[in-house]
């Protein structure tokens, strides 16, 4: 016959069995929660590692794009520089050619003057006709002036005018009765303007 002590042990065993499934279920649920948290943490770690990697890839692509743009700009610059250098050389050659042609035309016209001088010199050999010699020299000088005028050379007309430091060079100043002060009273050397540009001032004597 069970004693009182045996009945209490059976009741305790029953309570323990009753709690067993519930306790094991709670433990299993806690374990699943811990496992889920661990998986989420791992996913967050992978995401946090992927974000810097993607940023590095983006920056790398931007750098490569900038490098390509720089190379393209450098290539265009070098091409433009080469084109400008070719243009400069071409213009220089054209200017040299124009200068040679202009000099050639001038020399060709001056040769006519040389021919006249040679003929005058040959005609004066043994001749005592000074007037004829003078006439020949006058015609030669006239033809030379015509050549220079066609080239744009103009003499400066200064005698009797007011002294102009832009076109005149005073080599002496003298008292001259009846002359205004700073007027040109004598031309020592004629001055010239070529195509509107002064190439030699007139050397003059001015009155005080």
């Amino acid at each position: 016959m069970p004693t009182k002590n045996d009945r209490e042990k059976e009741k305790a065993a029953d309570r323990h069995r009753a709690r067993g499934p519930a306790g094991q279920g709670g433990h299993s649920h806690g374990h699943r929660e811990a496992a889920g948290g661990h998986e989420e943490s791992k996913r967050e770690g992978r995401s946090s590692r992927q974000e810097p990697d993607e940023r590095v890839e983006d920056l790398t692509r931007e750098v490569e794009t900038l490098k390509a743009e720089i190379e393209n700009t450098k290539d265009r610059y070098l091409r433009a520089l080469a084109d400008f250098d070719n243009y400069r050389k071409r213009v220089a050659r054209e200017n040299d050619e124009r200068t040679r042609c202009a000099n050639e035309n001038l020399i060709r016209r001056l040769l006519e003057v040389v021919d006249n001088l040679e003929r005058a010199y040959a005609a004066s050999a043994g001749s005592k006709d000074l007037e004829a010699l003078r006439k020949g020299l006058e015609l030669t000088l006239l033809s030379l002036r015509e050549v220079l005028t066609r080239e744009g050379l103009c003499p400066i007309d200064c005698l009797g005018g007011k002294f102009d430091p832009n076109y005149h060079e005073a080599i002496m100043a003298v008292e001259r009765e009846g002359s205004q002060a700073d007027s040109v009273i004598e031309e020592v050397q004629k001055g010239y303007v070529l195509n509107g540009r002064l190439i030699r001032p007139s050397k003059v004597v001015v009155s005080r």
Side-chain angles (χ1 to χ4, degrees), residues 26-46:
H27 178 70
S28 176
H29 179 70
H31 179 71
R32 286 196 299 271
E33 289 182 349
H38 180 66
E39 290 297 327
E40 183 177 355
S41 177
K42 288 172 63 177
R43 286 194 298 271
E44 291 178 353
R46 286 195 299 269

Side-chain angles (χ1 to χ4, degrees), residues 173-181 183 185-186 205-208:
V174 298
E175 296 282 350
R176 178 71 60 89
E177 185 178 353
S179 298
Q180 295 182 352
S183 62
I185 58 177
E186 184 179 347
V205 178
V206 298
S207 62
R208 290 188 295 193

Side-chain angles (χ1 to χ4, degrees), residues 6 22 26 54 75 79 90 99 125 131 143 153 160 164 174 177:
D6 292 335
E54 292 175 357
D75 182 67
R79 289 177 181 272
R90 184 175 68 254
T99 300
E131 183 62 27
S143 65
L153 186 70
D164 186 349
V174 298
E177 185 178 353

Side-chain angles (χ1 to χ4, degrees), residues 14-15 28 30 59 65 74 80 100 112-113 123 145 184 208:
D14 292 338
R15 288 195 298 271
S28 176
L59 291 175
T65 301
K74 181 180 178 181
R100 285 194 296 269
E112 298 176 4
V113 179
R145 285 174 176 170
V184 178
R208 290 188 295 193

Side-chain angles (χ1 to χ4, degrees), residues 97-107 109 151:
E97 184 66 22
R98 280 195 294 268
T99 300
R100 285 194 296 269
C101 290
N103 292 338
E104 181 180 342
N105 294 332
L106 176 60
I107 295 300
R109 286 190 288 268
E151 292 298 318

Side-chain angles (χ1 to χ4, degrees), residues 71-196:
E71 288 299 323
N72 188 27
T73 302
K74 181 180 178 181
D75 182 67
R76 290 200 304 270
Y77 168 75
L78 292 177
R79 289 177 181 272
L81 189 64
D83 291 341
F84 176 76
D85 187 58
N86 293 333
Y87 168 76
R88 181 181 59 81
K89 291 178 180 178
R90 184 175 68 254
V91 170
R93 288 194 300 269
E94 291 174 354
N95 289 337
D96 291 341
E97 184 66 22
R98 280 195 294 268
T99 300
R100 285 194 296 269
C101 290
N103 292 338
E104 181 180 342
N105 294 332
L106 176 60
I107 295 300
R108 186 180 296 111
R109 286 190 288 268
L110 287 176
L111 287 176
E112 298 176 4
V113 179
V114 174
D115 292 340
N116 291 334
L117 284 173
E118 289 177 345
R119 282 193 289 267
Y121 178 77
S124 66
S127 175
K128 296 182 180 179
D129 190 353
L130 297 180
E131 183 62 27
L133 179 60
R134 182 178 181 278
K135 186 66 175 178
L137 290 175
E138 182 180 357
L139 292 175
T140 301
L141 179 60
L142 180 62
S143 65
L144 177 59
R145 285 174 176 170
E146 289 177 353
V147 170
L148 296 176
T149 299
R150 287 198 298 269
E151 292 298 318
L153 186 70
C154 297
I156 298 174
D157 186 13
C158 61
L159 193 61
K162 189 173 179 59
F163 175 77
D164 186 349
N166 295 316
Y167 295 96
H168 307 150
E169 179 184 345
I171 62 174
M172 188 182 300
V174 298
E175 296 282 350
R176 178 71 60 89
E177 185 178 353
S179 298
Q180 295 182 352
D182 292 332
S183 62
V184 178
I185 58 177
E186 184 179 347
E187 184 182 56
V188 179
Q189 185 181 68
K190 188 175 292 293
Y192 290 94
V193 173
L194 179 62
N195 295 321

